[in-house]
Amino acid sequence: MGLEQYKGDMAMCCRCSCCKFIPMQRVSGLQYANVCPSIAKYEFHAYSGGGRMNIGTAMLSEEGLPYTDKLLDIIYNCQMCGACGVSCNYAMDMEVQEPINEIRIKAVQDGQTNPALEKVIRNLRKEGSMVPARGKRGAWASGLKLKNAAKEKVDVLYHVGCLTSYDPEMQKLARAAAKILQKAGVDFGIAGDSETCCGGRAYQMGYEKDFLNQAKKNMAMVRKCGARTVVTTCADGYQAFKVLYDKYKMKGDLEVLHISEYIDRLLQEGRLKLRKKVDLSVTYHDPCRLGRMGEPWIHWEGKKIPGDRFVFDPPKQYRRGSNGIYEPPRNVLKSIAGVKLTEMTRIREYSWCCGAGGGVNESNPEFAKWTAKERIDEAVSTGAEAIVTACPWCEKTFNEAIGETGSSLKVYDIVELVENAL
Ligand code: SF4
Ligand code: SF4
């Protein structure tokens, strides 16, 4: 791929700064108008999507752009959340998130790595996990009598993900998801100790080769177990299988569903019934990689006709974030008797990131927590008792932020509420 192919897109940037905010007509006040955590925290244009377009342009110029500590600070203090691209694309036809990814990839290829991210990647190469392995990867499933997809054929492969597999506080999500699928009579299995990282976070960190390596291993597992569908409870895993594997033409006709989509389908088909009342007022957080970044990849093939910038023949279709997964998790919440949903200001494709993306959780945990606190504040402003999300990384980051703020807001993953309602 490469940064070079986005030269024309980056040249389109007119420095309007729309990538810093949700679209003007959605702004209801000074609070919660920002959409980019990086510019909101660091308050200097270079940290915004537009600033990054200027950086990419300078990197490709004849003079080049030398790597300095400041430049690397800008490159690595970005959650790769895609919000800038969606806000820009409200009015503009140009790629923003793709060149930002490519700047990261270029930095890694040029040896300009971040020490904290290097450590994570060393662990990935050794243990196949983005978090340190604690015991066996499939230990969470002990006693559940699940099919082992590494040895048996299954219709559906449940890809659990690194954090949910190994983090003792997150394993409850895997158990809840497995119980829901069992209850609905789905023929599914897990790869257990043979499961390996989806590679999505390695990609966000700029490690394209490591991502591709993981993608190959995962698609080999899919072929081996014969699954036609992969289900994930992690938004990163969802985006990796559904969007990134497709972008690199590795997905084929595999169906990829987030558990919230699958539960929504099972409810509609009458295969799952939610009988118990759960009295709780909630607000729902759209994870970046389930929402705007989870939008299907659009392949474009044609001619780039050179000119001042580029003309695409046939015209290129842009991903604007509106085709992410927004309704299924809301449908599921509305199906639970007693749950009252109140929305925040920044939702759907304009959702504010939880802070954990792009390796920021590892390279700058304070920035990750600062970002999460802003979301907690927004959730509290709705008057809800709890924030519900659909990704273990969000739940973990929110809990850490709440631990520091002393807020009484509760955090749940959608599978926990469904499990309670079964
Ligand atoms: S990236 Fe898009 S929204 Fe941001 S300054 Fe450039 S043109 Fe404007
Ligand atoms: S990807 Fe997210 S954090 Fe990075 S510049 Fe864009 S909006 Fe800001």
Side-chain angles (χ1 to χ4, degrees), residues 19 35-39 47-50 52 77-85 96-97 100 292 353 367:
C19 49
V35 82
C36 165
S38 190
I39 185 69
Y47 286 84
S48 70
R52 292 168 199 277
N77 277 312
C78 162
Q79 275 93 348
M80 299 283 171
C81 71
C84 51
V96 178
Q97 186 57 48
I100 293 177
R292 56 182 168 250
C353 175
F367 177 29

Side-chain angles (χ1 to χ4, degrees), residues 96-286:
V96 178
Q97 186 57 48
E98 292 306 309
I100 293 177
N101 285 349
E102 293 296 342
I103 290 172
R104 264 291 168 97
I105 291 169
K106 182 170 163 43
V108 169
Q109 285 170 349
D110 291 342
Q112 302 294 327
T113 54
N114 176 287
L117 302 193
E118 272 288 293
K119 194 172 161 208
V120 174
I121 296 296
R122 273 201 301 278
N123 190 63
L124 172 69
R125 290 171 190 158
K126 193 164 148 236
E127 298 180 331
S129 171
M130 293 309 277
V131 298
R134 302 185 205 181
K136 290 198 177 267
R137 188 164 178 127
W140 64 268
S142 170
L144 290 178
K145 297 195 179 111
L146 305 183
K147 275 174 106 173
N148 183 345
K151 294 182 181 154
E152 301 170 72
K153 294 285 176 199
V154 293
D155 282 348
V156 175
L157 173 65
Y158 169 30
H159 180 90
V160 183
C162 306
L163 187 64
T164 314
S165 294
Y166 287 120
D167 190 316
E169 285 170 23
M170 291 298 133
Q171 288 170 345
K172 61 184 174 182
L173 307 187
R175 282 194 288 271
K179 281 183 197 161
I180 293 164
L181 295 174
Q182 278 178 327
K183 189 93 179 170
V186 176
D187 175 34
F188 78 102
I190 57 165
D193 297 341
S194 302
E195 185 184 282
T196 190
C197 175
C198 65
R201 288 182 87 81
Y203 184 78
Q204 295 163 35
M205 292 177 182
Y207 291 80
E208 189 184 32
K209 273 193 193 154
D210 289 280
F211 156 70
L212 288 169
N213 194 23
Q214 293 303 121
K216 275 183 211 144
K217 288 183 191 168
N218 276 297
M219 286 311 294
M221 176 60 76
V222 169
R223 280 190 293 275
K224 187 174 172 195
C225 71
R228 285 167 297 168
T229 304
V230 164
V231 173
T232 78
T233 33
C234 173
D236 284 63
Y238 176 80
Q239 192 230 0
F241 274 91
K242 174 145 182 201
V243 185
L244 298 178
Y245 292 7
D246 190 22
K247 175 177 172 179
Y248 285 85
K249 300 192 175 158
M250 297 168 82
K251 183 173 87 71
D253 57 5
L254 178 70
E255 180 186 44
V256 182
L257 297 172
H258 182 264
I259 190 80
S260 60
E261 286 180 283
Y262 206 22
I263 294 172
D264 188 29
R265 182 190 284 181
L266 293 169
L267 287 170
Q268 283 180 35
E269 290 173 355
R271 292 170 67 189
L272 200 61
K273 299 244 186 294
L274 304 182
R275 300 180 196 279
K276 284 194 199 151
K277 205 173 175 203
V278 179
D279 277 316
L280 194 67
S281 62
V282 305
T283 191
Y284 176 68
H285 167 76
D286 292 283

Side-chain angles (χ1 to χ4, degrees), residues 335-352:
S335 306
I336 305 174
V339 168
K340 183 176 168 280
L341 174 66
T342 310
E343 297 281 9
M344 291 181 273
T345 303
R346 292 172 292 189
I347 56 170
R348 298 174 187 259
E349 64 263 49
Y350 304 112
S351 177
W352 177 261

